[in-house]
């Protein structure tokens, strides 16, 4: 065996392994979630559809929102977006509802799919916005498919 070859190859791999991680920008949670002078943004951990993403007109889609904030939360808004037009569906004042499984607050939101929805509409986007007392907010969106 050629030990010189293996030692040079090992050294080259070591240098490469140390150099590559320096090319990536590390995320900084604090920079992404704090505004100097205003406070902290709320954090949306997850937004999922409880009863699937396919619904008929007249049915109710249920959303499971998991969220938290260092600063006081004011309210949660649910908006529907149909054909690019956003409509406020509901505003829910903040009430603590700690979920031990996710270590977050939990809120189940209902979206009644309009029975008179235009037959040409096949997708509705549902956007949830968590708003803090300090006016900082965070949004998340899920889509439902409208079936006949």
């Amino acid at each position: 065996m050629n030990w010189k070859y293996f030692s040079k190859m090992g050294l080259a791999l070591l240098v490469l392994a140390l150099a590559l991680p320096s090319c990536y920008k590390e995320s900084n949670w604090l920079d992404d979630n704090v505004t100097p002078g205003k406070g902290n943004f709320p954090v949306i951990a997850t937004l999922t559809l409880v009863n699937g993403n396919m619904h008929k007109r007249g049915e109710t889609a249920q959303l499971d929102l998991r969220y938290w904030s260092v600063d006081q939360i004011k309210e949660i808004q649910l908006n529907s977006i149909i054909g690019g037009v956003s409509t406020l569906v509901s505003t829910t004042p903040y009430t603590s509802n700690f979920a031990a499984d996710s270590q977050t607050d939990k809120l189940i939101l209902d979206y009644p799919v309009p029975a008179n929805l235009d037959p040409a509409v096949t997708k509705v986007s549902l956007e949830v916005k968590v708003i803090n007392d300090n006016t900082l907010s965070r949004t998340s969106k899920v889509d439902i498919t409208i079936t006949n």
Side-chain angles (χ1 to χ4, degrees), residues 29-125:
W29 187 92
L30 196 58
D31 286 345
D32 294 340
N33 292 287
V34 175
T35 297
K38 274 201 139 180
N40 298 287
F41 283 88
V43 176
I44 296 177
T46 61
L47 177 63
T48 58
L49 291 160
V50 175
N51 56 349
N53 67 339
M54 299 183 78
H55 294 279
K56 296 180 180 177
R57 289 159 182 81
E59 290 183 345
T60 299
Q62 286 192 318
L63 293 87
D64 182 351
L65 172 66
R66 305 294 176 112
Y67 64 104
W68 61 275
S69 182
V70 173
D71 291 340
Q72 182 63 40
I73 296 171
K74 177 182 177 186
E75 63 191 15
I76 296 92
Q77 294 178 349
L78 173 62
N79 295 286
S80 65
I81 304 167
I82 302 171
V85 178
S86 181
T87 304
L88 180 63
V89 175
S90 66
T91 300
T92 307
Y94 173 72
T95 303
S96 179
N97 185 22
F98 184 74
D101 63 335
S102 63
Q103 298 292 299
T104 63
D105 278 320
K106 174 182 178 176
L107 179 63
I108 301 295
L109 296 162
D110 289 337
Y111 172 71
V113 179
N116 61 349
L117 192 62
D118 184 333
V121 174
T122 59
K123 179 182 100 169
V124 175
S125 295

